[in-house]
Amino acid sequence: MVTTNAGPATALPERARPRLSATAKGALALVVTVLIWAAFALSARALSSSSLLPADAALLRFGVPLLVLAPALWRRRRRIAAVRPATALKIACGAGVPFFLAAMYGGSLTSAAFVGSIVPGMVPLFVSALMVAAGKGLPRGTQAVGLALIAAGVVALVWRFVVPLNTQVLAGAGILLVASGLWALYTVGLKEVDLDPVGSIGLLCLPSFAVMALLVLTGVLPTGLASAEPGDIGLFLVVQGLGVGLCAGLLYAYAIRSLGAERSSTVGSLSPVAVVLLAIPLLGESPTAAVLVGVPLITAGVALANRRPRTRTAAVPLPLPRTQPEVPDHA
């Protein structure tokens, strides 16, 4: 009997094929999420030189996720409608139109490094203030150290614009602080809802798109979408609509399930560093001495502020601004 080497026996068994582990997939999802967060800060700065207006970018930011997720959101309509009005308002204001316009306008007056550092960096401080106001107690240990480092980093960023006085940059930094405070409100609101990431995206984007469309249709906010450059539309559609609006929330939720909230938030704190590095080739921004001092302080502070306390009596962890709740797999 003659045998040959040809045949199905030469194929590798299914289990022998290399596959990514759950941890590796979670790490990959987290890396992509950090890059998307950095792209948001870069686009906030780039909007000032774009043919798009802030209202146009907002329509793309909130409209694209609604279009892509329409069938899934329809299946969740009852759960979304059942969210308490006060909680829904925190989410819609905290990450919706007010936040978006504040981040875009503040970015136009400052730099990508300011957007990427101040907006996410100050969130733990604002969340801590909200928790103290609600009677949850003061932060302790490494969290308190982290909050102090964040404050020191922000002071380092803006100090060089105080003497001599630069009102434009200081005004932009103040507006970015408002945006950060709004996102802290959104973070607290997310902890109060029983929705998966898809439902949370719908709860944010539905009222935000409706409000923005109303402002544009009534002429309160101008629009240049009809005459905008196709390249600008495509860029903001991908970065804001698909990236920030859709992928960031879903990928970060997956990373949390795969790696845990503490590891995800610690790696996620590198977002300001990514913004500074990417702004050099993409926007031609050169990091100043203030940025080189302030950004590492903020990054270290965010990482410490998000460390999970070892005891039950310690302060409540302060999540990063894009954190999604840990939930079961969504449909």
Side-chain angles (χ1 to χ4, degrees):
M1 178 176 172
V2 179
T3 61
T4 66
N5 291 332
T10 59
L12 287 174
E14 182 69 22
R15 62 184 179 182
R17 296 176 184 174
R19 291 182 178 179
L20 288 176
S21 65
T23 301
K25 291 179 181 178
L28 180 60
L30 186 56
V31 169
V32 175
T33 303
V34 170
L35 291 176
I36 292 173
W37 293 346
F40 171 82
L42 295 173
S43 66
R45 176 58 178 161
L47 183 62
S48 60
S49 59
S50 167
S51 60
L52 291 173
L53 297 176
D56 305 325
L59 289 174
L60 294 174
R61 159 68 179 89
F62 300 115
V64 171
L66 292 179
L67 183 63
V68 174
L69 298 176
L73 293 176
W74 177 254
R75 293 194 297 269
R76 292 162 172 80
R77 62 190 183 280
R78 292 186 178 87
R79 296 190 66 183
I80 294 175
V83 175
R84 293 183 305 168
T87 299
L89 188 62
K90 291 178 184 177
I91 291 175
C93 289
V97 174
F99 164 80
F100 188 85
L101 294 179
M104 293 295 109
Y105 187 57
S108 70
L109 297 176
T110 55
S111 66
F114 271 60
V115 180
S117 301
I118 292 178
V119 175
M122 285 295 293
V123 168
L125 270 171
F126 284 118
V127 171
S128 178
L130 291 173
M131 290 180 175
V132 171
K136 299 293 181 64
L138 294 171
R140 304 175 183 175
T142 56
Q143 289 186 350
V145 175
L147 296 179
L149 288 177
I150 292 171
V154 173
V155 171
L157 277 179
V158 303
W159 182 254
R160 65 182 293 264
F161 300 101
V162 176
V163 181
L165 184 65
N166 188 322
T167 56
Q168 174 180 309
V169 174
L170 291 179
I175 294 171
L176 292 177
L177 286 174
V178 172
S180 183
L182 288 170
W183 200 288
L185 193 66
Y186 167 66
T187 302
V188 173
L190 274 183
K191 296 169 71 69
E192 298 175 359
V193 298
D194 184 22
L195 293 173
D196 63 10
V198 173
S200 298
I201 290 173
L203 182 61
L204 166 64
C205 291
L206 279 168
S208 298
F209 182 79
V211 169
M212 184 54 62
L214 181 63
L215 293 175
V216 169
L217 290 174
T218 56
V220 175
L221 289 178
T223 176
L225 198 58
S227 58
E229 294 291 335
D232 292 339
I233 295 176
L235 175 64
F236 278 83
L237 187 149
V238 171
V239 173
Q240 293 286 353
L242 295 177
V244 178
L246 182 63
C247 295
L250 300 179
L251 289 173
Y252 194 64
Y254 179 82
I256 287 177
R257 286 195 295 267
S258 302
L259 304 177
E262 182 177 357
R263 291 171 66 186
S264 296
S265 62
T266 300
V267 177
S269 65
L270 296 175
S271 175
V273 177
V275 171
V276 173
L277 294 177
L278 290 173
I280 297 173
L282 296 179
L283 299 179
E285 292 186 2
S286 299
T288 63
V291 169
L292 293 176
V293 173
V295 169
L297 285 174
I298 292 173
T299 299
V302 173
L304 289 175
N306 280 280
R307 288 191 63 181
R308 194 181 298 259
R310 295 182 179 179
T311 63
R312 294 182 179 270
T313 57
V316 180
L318 305 177
L320 285 172
R322 286 91 174 178
T323 300
Q324 295 285 350
E326 294 186 64
V327 295
D329 291 337
H330 54 274

